[in-house]
Amino acid sequence: MMNAEIIGVGSELLLGQIANTNAQYLSKKLAELGINVYYHTVVGDNAQRLKEVIATAQTRAELIIFTGGLGPTKDDLTKETIASVLGVELTTNAEALESIEAYFKQSNRVMTPNNKKQAIVLEGSAVLPNDYGMAPGMGLTVEGKHYMLFPGPPKELYPMYESYGQEFLAQKLELKESIESRVLRFFGIGESQLETEIEDLLDAQTNPTIAPLAGDGEVTLRLTAKHANAAEAQRMLDEVEKTISERVGEYLYGYEATSLHNELVKELTAQGLTIASAESLTGGLFSERLTTVSGAGEAVKGSLVAYHYEIKQNILGVSEHTLNQYGAVSEQCAAEMAQRIQQLYKTDIGIGFTGVAGPSKQEGHPVGTVYIGVAYKDQAPQVYSLQLSGSRQGICSRTVNYGCHYVLKMIKK
């Protein structure tokens, strides 16, 4: 199995001006190919320090991937430094130069001479075209070690890897097996609980492999199977997914890069249901998330941000008795908010959010106290209480996720 190191080049990474998301992305992609990434390194725009980093990487990795430093300016020195270390020449790639000239012509901009620098590549390298920018990537093998160079902007790197970089690696690895992967997304169960439920599967995993990953209040499992036959690899994934679902299937809500709000809109639309939200602590975040999904207009009728007592009572219609007797942060208020928005907007579902996002207590309730009311058709409203931790923003975000989760479970029954 091949070992890899990813080297991010750019002083802006060290200064904290941008996050090194490229390393995260590439690590995920390399794992799909069975390549171990043991080191992430970041170095500034300094030739001597980059040489030292390369020398270290050569002692511990068979694949060394560089991101950044391929641009037109003087501080873009990645390929020049690598050429010096490897003892290879630099040459202008005609196709890359033609692509750069076309890029400027298309955007109606004058091409300055230094942009020609971006068409210079390591001699003998496989050139990886840049379909979304100018600087091409490269792949090169020298003395049994593989080197890959990618531009820094993620919008250029990601499609370049998908379209050309992965193929270069597959050739070098002489992959004869089909590698199929599937991401299972779970909500309402913690990472530790999920791992406990499938501990024996994790301990015994060989092929397919199971990789847990915690996200923003949810957990994902990446299943990866290898087989000479792609259909057989998919069958293997089906089998292990079935075993996992038998144990924790009630928390499984979707696959791959989906989200709770995406799945909720999809399910609402499929069933021909409509929804409206009354939001206090979430401040409209629930409706914002849903309306980012294409086609949400069929299911989402609207929302009302009822932040103040007066709006809850005079506009939304929560009773004065409820607010005086139980308070705005209460099960009773959440239930009424859900029911009233359902009635006002004439929807199948009404959902109400109330609680304390922080930074201080409200009505005697600690920060993180949340009540979510859901009114579904002519059924009595259901209220869910939560005690969340974290920042104000984090509490609001997770409240919205729970709201999507509860509605999804209700309408799927």
Side-chain angles (χ1 to χ4, degrees):
M1 191 175 281
M2 188 181 288
N3 295 337
E5 180 159 349
I6 299 169
I7 300 174
V9 183
S11 298
E12 66 276 9
L13 294 168
L14 293 173
L15 293 170
Q17 294 170 343
I18 61 170
N20 191 11
T21 55
N22 288 335
Q24 179 189 31
Y25 168 81
L26 287 169
S27 286
K28 288 180 180 178
K29 292 297 180 181
L30 295 176
E32 291 174 10
L33 296 177
I35 296 173
N36 298 316
V37 179
Y38 288 143
Y39 298 95
H40 284 179
T41 303
V42 177
V43 62
D45 300 305
N46 180 282
Q48 183 54 41
R49 286 194 283 275
L50 179 54
K51 285 180 181 179
E52 293 167 4
V53 164
I54 295 170
T56 301
Q58 287 173 326
T59 66
R60 59 193 187 188
E62 292 83 52
L63 170 64
I64 305 172
I65 298 181
F66 301 84
T67 65
L70 303 183
T73 59
K74 288 183 179 179
D75 63 352
D76 289 310
L77 41 74
T78 299
K79 56 195 170 191
E80 292 82 358
T81 306
I82 294 171
S84 171
V85 171
L86 300 182
V88 300
E89 298 294 324
L90 290 167
T91 182
T92 298
N93 181 266
E95 289 82 5
L97 181 58
E98 187 179 319
S99 175
I100 292 167
E101 289 171 341
Y103 185 91
F104 275 94
K105 188 175 181 181
Q106 186 179 359
S107 57
N108 238 356
R109 292 162 54 200
V110 176
M111 178 174 163
T112 55
N114 62 345
N115 278 288
K116 291 183 178 179
K117 175 186 173 188
Q118 295 182 96
I120 295 174
V121 300
L122 299 167
E123 193 169 57
S125 65
V127 177
L128 312 177
N130 191 335
D131 296 332
Y132 295 88
M134 288 180 278
M138 285 155 265
L140 182 68
T141 301
V142 177
E143 296 180 359
K145 291 191 182 292
H146 310 295
Y147 302 84
M148 297 187 77
L149 290 71
F150 289 99
K155 66 178 183 179
E156 299 176 26
L157 186 154
Y158 295 6
M160 182 183 290
Y161 175 84
E162 295 280 356
S163 300
Y164 311 105
Q166 191 163 256
E167 184 181 343
F168 172 84
L169 281 174
Q171 291 173 355
K172 295 300 176 183
L173 290 167
E174 297 181 349
L175 292 177
K176 295 180 177 63
E177 293 177 311
S178 176
I179 298 176
E180 303 291 329
S181 66
R182 184 179 303 171
V183 175
L184 312 182
R185 308 192 77 89
F186 300 85
F187 188 82
I189 184 171
E191 182 183 17
S192 58
Q193 185 187 346
L194 178 65
E195 289 194 21
T196 300
E197 295 290 342
I198 61 168
E199 189 174 8
D200 58 318
L201 302 179
L202 293 170
D203 290 341
Q205 63 176 307
T206 50
N207 183 26
T209 58
I210 307 168
L213 180 67
D216 182 20
E218 62 179 76
V219 187
T220 61
L221 291 178
R222 177 181 289 278
L223 314 180
T224 305
K226 301 177 186 178
H227 199 277
N229 183 286
E232 178 59 20
Q234 287 292 344
R235 189 201 64 75
M236 292 162 68
L237 292 178
D238 290 341
E239 194 173 289
V240 73
E241 181 190 334
K242 184 180 177 217
T243 304
I244 292 169
S245 291
E246 285 169 355
R247 303 185 189 186
V248 289
E250 63 181 298
Y251 304 103
L252 176 65
Y253 76 84
Y255 299 86
E256 307 310 325
T258 191
S259 62
L260 280 158
H261 54 272
N262 190 75
E263 291 301 310
L264 176 55
V265 170
K266 189 194 303 181
E267 190 65 29
L268 289 169
T269 305
Q271 294 192 34
L273 299 172
T274 55
I275 191 169
S277 58
E279 304 188 51
S280 185
L281 85 154
T282 50
L285 186 60
F286 178 81
S287 58
E288 181 191 350
R289 290 257 180 96
L290 263 59
T291 54
T292 60
V293 181
S294 177
E298 292 183 36
V300 182
K301 273 204 173 182
S303 67
L304 173 64
V305 177
Y307 211 63
H308 198 274
Y309 265 59
E310 288 180 12
I311 305 301
K312 288 183 177 74
Q313 184 178 332
N314 300 330
I315 305 297
L316 184 56
V318 176
S319 72
E320 185 178 3
H321 170 76
T322 293
L323 293 171
N324 290 336
Q325 182 75 19
Y326 304 105
V329 181
S330 65
E331 292 184 25
Q332 292 80 0
C333 184
E336 273 200 56
M337 288 174 71
Q339 201 161 39
R340 289 298 297 137
I341 200 69
Q342 180 193 32
Q343 294 164 351
L344 280 171
Y345 284 41
K346 296 180 173 59
T347 56
D348 298 300
I349 302 160
I351 184 167
F353 298 93
T354 186
V356 187
S360 55
K361 287 183 177 182
Q362 185 180 335
E363 299 178 353
H365 296 286
V367 173
T369 301
V370 171
Y371 295 103
I372 302 173
V374 181
Y376 182 41
K377 295 190 174 176
D378 56 358
Q379 298 175 17
Q382 294 281 324
V383 179
Y384 305 89
S385 61
L386 299 166
Q387 188 60 53
L388 304 176
S389 59
S391 66
R392 181 181 177 85
Q393 184 180 9
I395 288 169
C396 290
S397 180
R398 272 175 284 143
T399 296
V400 168
N401 284 342
Y402 272 103
C404 292
H405 171 65
Y406 293 138
V407 177
L408 261 174
K409 285 188 75 172
M410 188 174 287
I411 64 178
K412 279 186 173 181
K413 280 183 180 177

